[in-house]
Amino acid sequence: MLSTLFDWMNYWGILSRGFQKLPMVFEHDQEHYYVVWETSFSVSEFSLEWWTDAIPISKQVGRHNIVKAQYKMIDESHHRYSAIIGPVGHTTKVHYKCTSKSAWTNEYTIPRRSETELTRILVISDNQNGPTEFRQVLTGIQNHYGKGNAPDAILHVGDSVQYANRLEDWQNQLFSPLEDAGGYQHRSPIVWVPGNHDHDKARTPDNSNIYADMYHGIQTTEGLDAPEVLNGTYHRFYHTASLGTARIIVLDAECPSAEQSEFLER
């Protein structure tokens, strides 16, 4: 049974160009963002195009950055793409869109607060197994901000799905509710702290970390083609993010390491 308008539109082809999941953007470090999206069919030569307001308006068209997306086939009807934006430098806005010859998204804009500006951070957690309640909460948040407005960033502190290896959980419990409630995930970068429900700690090749890995420590899309990324054994959740006047440090309590301890000391 199709439970949401988003899924219904996708099923009947009303949602344009076969997207299963429209782009979700994550804070990657001080000057980078990680973007992931998914289609229901394989698309060759998918790219992410991005640019910033630091570029003079008259020269924007010629100064766009285009990176070829990293591709992973999950199954016959789930094809995941990911790319890294950055470095973005000092700018108030970052614009991006995902494009190919047969599929493309709208243009999205990520606003960036300066180090002296207050930042509106939406904090959410434990929405697993409660898509109806999650939609109700998100609708209330949307009413608070007003149509067309959004938080500057989202801090998700874990347990976004019940079972990390179930594709329907990711769709029904995270992606679709966010899409139905205004699509904050396209323009409000997520600082994600995965919970024990969100990822497979085994770190064996071909594990269940379909969407949980943000690949912190890798700063280029080309780096996503590293063997340890492709086979699923790359693991680094710990990182830091600066959001306006806020400084957020994310640590991995479930998979501690000497590298993480050194990171924290720095």
Side-chain angles (χ1 to χ4, degrees), residues 47-81:
S47 297
L48 185 142
E49 183 176 352
W50 67 272
W51 62 102
T52 77
D53 278 3
I55 301 168
I57 297 296
S58 61
K59 299 180 180 179
Q60 275 195 0
V61 174
R63 294 289 300 276
H64 286 205
N65 302 275
I66 299 176
V67 293
K68 183 180 177 181
Q70 197 273 335
Y71 168 72
K72 178 179 178 63
M73 178 179 173
I74 299 171
D75 63 19
E76 292 290 338
S77 59
H78 293 80
H79 301 264
R80 191 198 72 183
Y81 304 86

Side-chain angles (χ1 to χ4, degrees), residues 21 74 78 129 161-173 197 208 210-211:
K21 297 173 179 64
I74 299 171
H78 293 80
N129 257 1
V161 297
Q162 184 66 22
Y163 298 105
N165 62 341
R166 287 174 49 174
L167 295 178
E168 60 268 30
D169 280 13
W170 289 101
Q171 188 70 45
N172 297 333
Q173 298 176 23
H197 285 270
S208 300
I210 302 168
Y211 307 108

Side-chain angles (χ1 to χ4, degrees), residues 92-156:
T92 58
K93 292 180 181 178
V94 177
H95 312 276
Y96 75 95
K97 57 184 177 180
C98 307
T99 61
S100 74
K101 291 182 179 179
S102 58
W104 55 92
T105 68
N106 293 327
E107 175 188 314
Y108 303 108
T109 297
I110 306 168
R112 288 170 58 88
R113 298 282 185 181
S114 73
E115 295 179 357
T116 60
E117 292 180 287
L118 292 178
T119 304
R120 302 170 301 175
I121 301 175
L122 171 62
V123 181
I124 55 178
S125 72
D126 295 279
N127 55 278
Q128 84 277 27
N129 257 1
T132 300
E133 294 80 3
F134 190 31
R135 281 186 175 84
Q136 292 172 349
V137 170
L138 290 172
T139 298
I141 292 168
Q142 187 180 32
N143 291 337
H144 171 75
Y145 281 113
K147 187 176 181 180
N149 297 316
D152 297 310
I154 298 172
L155 174 60
H156 197 306

